Amino acid sequence: MSKKIIRIIGAFGILVLLAGCFKGEQSSKEVDPPQNAEAVNGEETVDEETVDGEDTAATPVEAEDTVSRELYLIDSNGMVASQMVELPVPEANQVAQQVMEYMVKGGPITPMLPNGFQAVLPEDTEILGIDLQEDGTIIVDLSGEFSDYEAASELPILEAVTHTLTQFDNVHKVKLRVEGVDLKEMPVNGTPINNGYTRANGINLTNNDTLDYFNSSPVTMFYPVERENNRYYVPVTQYVEMEDENDLEGIVNELIDGPGYQNDVVNVFSPEAALTAEPVIKEGVAHLTFNEGILMDAEQNIISDEVMETMVRTLTQQSNIDAVNVQVENVDEVFNENGEPYSEPVSAQLFTPSEEL
């Protein structure tokens, strides 16, 4: 789903660096270690070393260029969640191929996995080909090893692959092949793929036996988790009772009510928080007005960073919303936890950089 880039002025004091596309990757490079610095393995680098009786200057090995990519992996609770991972800058036209290769168990992602996370594709799976079509459908051809997984892993695999590839603005749908043969359904448990799988199919889907599904729509909410100094957001698709597909009030109220009984997923909203006016969408910006219950500090007019990120990540999943503007009734200006004013609408670009293949 394509999103316009909204410049954020003073929101968190963070400079967002957009990763480059195929025609020119932007990357970061580590600097050489200082002389006499202690190496990671405990050995020391020296100014000079003797080779065959001659002094030669030591030449540190430069770290290779890297670029940040969002990979959807499985956390310790079995939930599909994204992690930003620094990957080597790939060759031209190999970005999609690379992110898929880094989703294979036992593959190059292994030493980079955050604590408790695991890759999703079966071990030894090879990526035989990637074909991005003009309509935004990406076709991934996989080796036969792809079919070697447990039935319970089928939906997480499909969701993780879909969300990883659709992070790119010009990718909207994912189709799979095995050894050149199109899959109409997943090979183990028969989950339908048909003409392709999209984010609209949901992720970490939750069910509610008391909900009126006829008058409800699936909405993907984002909830924060922090484990072993690793803070990340878990997307959870919930059915929300809505008057129509543009019923932002229903989505926001569901966020305030919280995630229910999801494992280790946190509700960051105060129960006193409430909208005081009907949300309005203008030129891609959702305008929300709350009571003071939305504030974590009413004296300083501070909105929790997690509250803001939860709202922005969730609402910008809607196709007609690119950014969120939050106001508080009877408050002139609101601030983030660093004391910086929210002087402009907040875009998801602040949290997850955007690019095209």
Side-chain angles (χ1 to χ4, degrees), residues 88 97 105 130 139 146 230 238 245 249 280 294 315 317:
Q97 176 88 16
K105 292 181 179 179
I130 301 281
I139 302 173
F146 171 71
N230 181 18
Q238 301 171 221
E245 61 182 7
E249 186 171 0
V280 175
I294 196 70
L315 294 180
Q317 293 292 302

Side-chain angles (χ1 to χ4, degrees), residues 222-226 231-234 264-268 306 310:
F222 285 78
Y223 299 105
V225 172
E226 185 161 356
R231 179 176 174 272
Y232 59 97
Y233 280 76
V234 172
D264 292 334
V265 178
V266 179
N267 181 6
V268 296
E306 287 186 332
T310 294

Side-chain angles (χ1 to χ4, degrees), residues 307-321:
V307 166
M308 183 63 77
E309 187 166 351
T310 294
M311 285 193 292
V312 172
R313 282 180 177 267
T314 297
L315 294 180
T316 54
Q317 293 292 302
Q318 306 304 304
S319 60
N320 57 343
I321 298 176

Side-chain angles (χ1 to χ4, degrees), residues 17 76 89 123 145 186 215 221 263 312 319 323:
L17 181 62
S76 59
V89 173
E123 193 167 357
E145 288 83 358
M186 289 290 279
N215 294 315
M221 313 282 191
N263 291 334
V312 172
S319 60

Side-chain angles (χ1 to χ4, degrees), residues 6 22 44 114 136-138 254 268 280-281 320 328 347 350:
I6 306 296
F22 278 107
E44 293 185 350
T137 300
I138 192 166
E254 189 74 18
V268 296
V280 175
I281 302 174
N320 57 343
V328 177
S347 162
L350 189 63

Side-chain angles (χ1 to χ4, degrees), residues 125-350:
T125 298
E126 296 181 22
I127 315 304
L128 302 181
I130 301 281
D131 180 17
L132 177 60
Q133 302 181 327
E134 290 185 1
D135 67 352
T137 300
I138 192 166
I139 302 173
V140 182
D141 192 7
L142 304 159
S143 67
E145 288 83 358
F146 171 71
S147 301
D148 187 17
Y149 60 83
E150 300 293 331
S153 298
E154 185 162 282
L155 267 179
I157 289 172
L158 191 52
E159 292 168 357
V161 169
T162 298
H163 279 69
T164 295
L165 291 174
T166 55
Q167 73 180 279
F168 302 106
D169 288 346
N170 55 338
V171 178
H172 311 305
K173 182 187 297 184
V174 176
K175 290 185 177 181
L176 300 179
R177 292 173 177 166
V178 172
E179 303 286 352
V181 178
D182 291 341
L183 294 183
K184 294 299 182 182
E185 61 182 28
M186 289 290 279
V188 175
N189 210 35
T191 300
I193 300 176
N194 298 319
N195 292 323
Y197 213 76
T198 72
R199 290 197 174 202
N201 291 103
I203 185 171
N204 297 317
L205 190 66
T206 63
N207 295 316
N208 185 338
D209 294 336
T210 64
L211 193 63
D212 179 7
Y213 285 94
F214 183 78
N215 294 315
S216 302
S217 299
V219 178
T220 298
M221 313 282 191
F222 285 78
Y223 299 105
V225 172
E226 185 161 356
R227 184 175 295 107
E228 298 182 12
N229 297 320
N230 181 18
R231 179 176 174 272
Y232 59 97
Y233 280 76
V234 172
V236 178
T237 299
Q238 301 171 221
Y239 276 85
V240 179
E241 293 185 9
M242 302 167 61
E243 294 182 1
D244 56 60
E245 61 182 7
N246 295 317
D247 183 9
L248 289 188
E249 186 171 0
I251 298 175
V252 173
N253 287 337
E254 189 74 18
L255 273 177
I256 293 173
D257 289 342
Y261 296 102
Q262 291 296 321
N263 291 334
D264 292 334
V265 178
V266 179
N267 181 6
V268 296
F269 290 84
S270 164
E272 286 77 32
L275 289 166
T276 59
E278 184 177 350
V280 175
I281 302 174
K282 292 182 180 179
E283 297 180 349
V285 178
H287 297 268
L288 310 176
T289 303
F290 290 89
N291 63 7
E292 292 188 5
I294 196 70
L295 299 173
M296 69 175 293
D297 186 334
E299 292 184 0
Q300 302 295 323
N301 298 332
I302 293 174
I303 295 179
S304 161
D305 293 348
E306 287 186 332
V307 166
M308 183 63 77
E309 187 166 351
T310 294
M311 285 193 292
V312 172
R313 282 180 177 267
T314 297
L315 294 180
T316 54
Q317 293 292 302
Q318 306 304 304
S319 60
N320 57 343
I321 298 176
D322 300 306
V324 178
N325 178 49
V326 176
Q327 296 178 324
V328 177
E329 196 173 44
N330 301 319
V331 173
D332 292 333
E333 195 169 36
V334 293
F335 301 84
N336 66 19
E337 292 183 26
N338 290 327
E340 299 162 335
Y342 286 109
S343 56
E344 296 287 339
V346 182
S347 162
Q349 298 295 325
L350 189 63

Side-chain angles (χ1 to χ4, degrees), residues 33-107:
Q35 292 180 337
N36 296 326
E38 184 174 340
V40 173
N41 61 5
E43 298 177 357
E44 293 185 350
T45 60
V46 294
D47 293 339
E48 297 179 343
E49 61 184 8
T50 301
V51 179
D52 294 333
E54 298 182 2
D55 290 336
T56 59
T59 304
V61 177
E62 293 187 356
E64 61 184 334
D65 291 354
T66 62
V67 62
S68 293
R69 300 285 185 218
E70 186 177 29
L71 302 183
Y72 279 79
L73 307 167
I74 307 296
D75 73 4
S76 59
N77 289 315
M79 306 288 281
V80 182
S82 69
Q83 292 284 288
M84 296 302 295
V85 181
E86 290 293 323
L87 303 184
V89 173
E91 297 180 3
N93 302 326
Q94 294 295 308
V95 174
Q97 176 88 16
Q98 182 193 55
V99 296
M100 289 295 297
E101 290 172 349
Y102 272 78
M103 296 179 71
V104 178
K105 292 181 179 179

